[in-house]
């Protein structure tokens, strides 16, 4: 009965190590996705510390490749030292992922205030005739999120760009995709996106943080199971004489 329990634990442990390799790839993908998306919205949220959870989760993903290798070798070779190392590293990574979850929630809460502070400055610097980085960011966000202005398209009326152009129109990036003849004129508001960009940018950035949080929580749960199985194998190897004889090839006296 003891041998069956150990064998089952070992089988689960080997399977979990394979999952760790898959998890490593997924975590690195999530971290890279955060970096790429942040680059598109960095003008609206300049606090680079927001990227800390993404950096940590990529590092954890890289470490999981090594953990999976150590775990497989230790399980196959029945190495007590290897399994103990495996458990310790898993515990450290688990703590790191808890930190990622906490940081994710902290920075998720800061998103709204940060975007509210930055977005007004970015819109004021818009220059549609010679687009700079900030102007391209605004046009990109308005097209991607299907929005116009900060709260709605009327916000453009208070910008320097609107006053300088004097043509009573908003950028073409405010035009609905279905409005083929749209030229941005305020005389045809039905051709323009009605929703403002601030709420949608906040929602997008908070979704990014939730991706990090859920990824960290999911793989933290897997790691707990991995630590449990490794501990079962270690404890039973120390206490079950039948298991020792199985490994050494000995017989009872």
């Amino acid at each position: 009965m003891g041998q069956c329990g150990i064998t089952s634990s070992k089988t689960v442990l080997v399977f979990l190590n394979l999952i760790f390799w898959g998890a490593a790839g997924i975590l690195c993908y999530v971290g890279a996705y955060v970096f790429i998306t942040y680059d598109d919205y960095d003008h609206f949220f300049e606090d680079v510390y927001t990227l800390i959870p993404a950096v940590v989760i990529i590092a954890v993903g890289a470490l999981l490749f090594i953990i999976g290798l150590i775990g497989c070798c230790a399980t196959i070779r029945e190495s007590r030292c290897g399994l103990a190392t495996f458990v310790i590293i898993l515990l450290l990574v688990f703590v790191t992922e808890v930190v990622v979850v906490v940081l994710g929630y902290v920075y998720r809460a800061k998103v709204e205030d940060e975007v509210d502070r930055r977005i007004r400055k970015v819109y004021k610097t818009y220059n549609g005739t010679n687009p700079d980085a900030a102007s391209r960011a605004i046009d990109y966000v308005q097209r991607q999120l299907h929005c116009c202005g900060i709260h709605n398209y009327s916000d453009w009326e208070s910008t320097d760009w609107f006053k300088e152009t004097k043509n009573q129109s908003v950028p073409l990036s405010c035009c609905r995709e279905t409005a083929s003849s749209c030229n941005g004129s305020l005389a045809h508001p039905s051709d323009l996106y009605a929703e403002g960009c601030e709420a949608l940018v906040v929602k997008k950035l908070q979704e990014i943080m939730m991706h990090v949080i859920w990824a960290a929580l999911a793989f933290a749960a897997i790691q707990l199971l991995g630590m449990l199985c490794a501990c079962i194998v270690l404890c039973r190897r120390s206490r079950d004489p039948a298991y020792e004889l199985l490994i050494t090839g000995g017989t009872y006296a």
Side-chain angles (χ1 to χ4, degrees):
M1 185 71 180
Q3 293 176 12
C4 291
I6 293 167
T7 303
S8 298
S9 297
K10 285 171 60 182
T11 302
V12 173
L13 192 54
V14 171
F15 179 69
L16 284 173
N17 285 318
L18 297 178
I19 291 179
F20 287 154
W21 284 333
I26 294 173
L27 287 175
C28 289
Y29 171 80
V30 171
Y33 170 75
V34 172
F35 270 99
I36 293 170
T37 309
Y38 177 85
D39 187 56
D40 294 331
Y41 296 89
D42 60 349
H43 285 86
F44 305 97
F45 195 86
E46 63 179 4
D47 188 353
V48 295
Y49 294 109
T50 309
L51 292 175
I52 290 178
V55 172
V56 174
I57 209 169
I58 289 175
V60 168
L63 188 57
L64 278 179
F65 279 110
I66 301 173
I67 291 174
L69 181 61
I70 292 173
C72 279
C73 292
T75 304
I76 293 171
R77 297 184 62 182
E78 312 291 348
S79 169
R80 181 181 299 176
C81 180
L83 284 172
T85 302
F86 175 70
V87 171
I88 291 171
I89 294 176
L90 273 184
L91 181 60
L92 292 175
V93 173
F94 175 78
V95 172
T96 302
E97 288 183 333
V98 171
V99 172
V100 168
V101 170
V102 173
L103 288 176
Y105 272 108
V106 169
Y107 289 119
R108 186 175 181 272
K110 291 176 60 179
V111 165
E112 189 169 357
D113 291 338
E114 182 73 13
V115 170
D116 182 64
R117 183 176 63 85
R118 283 288 303 164
I119 197 168
R120 299 176 190 280
K121 295 180 181 179
V122 176
Y123 268 83
K124 284 186 178 297
T125 61
Y126 184 84
N127 183 346
T129 54
N130 296 296
D132 56 9
S135 299
R136 287 195 300 270
I138 290 173
D139 286 331
Y140 173 83
V141 166
Q142 292 189 152
R143 288 193 179 98
Q144 290 296 312
L145 301 183
H146 297 171
C147 58
C148 184
I150 299 174
H151 301 107
N152 54 58
Y153 58 80
S154 65
D155 293 322
W156 280 104
E157 296 181 53
S158 62
T159 63
D160 294 336
W161 173 82
F162 184 90
K163 295 172 182 176
E164 289 171 4
T165 55
K166 298 178 181 179
N167 59 6
Q168 296 297 303
S169 65
V170 296
L172 294 178
S173 56
C174 281
C175 292
R176 295 179 182 272
E177 292 179 347
T178 55
S180 57
S181 60
C182 176
N183 60 3
S185 173
L186 291 178
H188 304 285
S190 60
D191 291 343
L192 308 176
Y193 293 123
E195 193 168 359
C197 293
E198 181 177 356
L200 295 178
V201 170
V202 169
K203 181 181 177 181
K204 183 69 174 180
L205 291 172
Q206 289 181 336
E207 284 177 355
I208 294 170
M209 284 299 169
M210 285 308 299
H211 290 157
V212 173
I213 290 170
W214 282 114
L217 284 174
F219 295 119
I222 295 173
Q223 287 167 225
L224 276 177
L225 185 57
M227 285 188 287
L228 177 62
C229 291
C231 287
I232 290 173
V233 173
L234 277 171
C235 292
R236 289 190 175 178
R237 179 175 180 180
S238 301
R239 297 178 183 179
D240 194 337
Y243 182 67
E244 291 294 340
L245 289 171
L246 180 67
I247 298 303
T248 60
T251 58
Y252 284 107

